[in-house]
Amino acid sequence: MSWLKKNTKPERKASAPASASQGGQAGMDQMVRMLAAAPEDQRTRMLGDRLTVFAGQDEASRERAMKGMLAAALQLPEDDYQKIAAARFNALNGLDADTRMTLMKSHAAVVKSLPADQRQREMKAMKQIVSALPEDERGQVMTMMQNLGLMGEAG
């Protein structure tokens, strides 16, 4: 063995975050519970930071990460779930249009893959949030949701 190989450490590549199937879901569950308990401004800011990270990932990784976050939120009691859904919506509104659309497309794909009861819960939460918006914003968001194929999922 050469002196160089013997006296230098091999370069270590950063490993990717664990996927939900590799145990990463427990961490996501814990993070989402912590966010639900956080003050609203902190919850929105931290969700915005997380969504920005997701937006920088390839589509499959982004959808996996968003599915993990949504799965964690769907385990929460209704009031905490509503807090997370509202903060996610507010965080998305704080992002630039291209990033927001990238994330919304991934969110739509994830929602469509959910079991019917979870899909309906998510759509009901989104409709409640949208219904509280000023009329002009509400119309824009509803049109966007229709274009993403998310309308008619909850009553």
Side-chain angles (χ1 to χ4, degrees), residues 46-144:
M46 291 177 76
L47 271 170
D49 292 345
R50 179 61 66 166
L51 290 172
T52 300
V53 169
F54 292 171
Q57 297 174 335
D58 64 83
E59 187 175 347
S61 297
R62 180 174 46 255
E63 286 182 16
R64 228 179 358 262
M66 292 181 84
K67 189 170 191 168
M69 182 180 282
L70 189 53
L74 286 163
Q75 293 178 31
L76 297 171
E78 191 60 29
D79 59 331
D80 287 343
Y81 174 74
Q82 290 290 335
K83 290 178 190 177
I84 295 295
R88 184 184 63 229
F89 184 84
N90 291 333
L92 280 169
N93 281 339
L95 299 173
D96 66 86
D98 289 339
T99 301
R100 182 173 47 249
M101 187 52 72
T102 295
L103 290 165
M104 289 182 73
K105 285 178 181 177
S106 294
H107 179 255
V110 167
V111 169
K112 290 175 186 178
S113 75
L114 293 173
D117 61 328
Q118 292 179 350
R119 185 174 56 248
Q120 289 171 350
R121 185 178 181 199
E122 174 66 4
M123 292 313 305
K124 182 179 177 186
M126 293 310 302
K127 286 180 180 183
Q128 287 176 337
I129 292 164
V130 171
S131 71
L133 294 173
E135 191 173 335
D136 60 330
E137 286 180 54
R138 184 174 46 236
Q140 292 173 359
V141 173
M142 293 298 277
T143 298
M144 196 171 358

Side-chain angles (χ1 to χ4, degrees), residues 12-53:
R12 298 185 110 168
K13 294 184 180 184
S15 59
S19 70
S21 62
Q22 297 171 326
Q25 189 61 43
M28 184 67 77
D29 293 350
Q30 182 179 5
M31 181 196 73
V32 169
R33 282 192 305 273
M34 182 273 307
L35 287 172
E40 183 179 354
D41 61 331
Q42 181 182 3
R43 181 172 42 249
T44 300
R45 186 178 63 253
M46 291 177 76
L47 271 170
D49 292 345
R50 179 61 66 166
L51 290 172
T52 300
V53 169

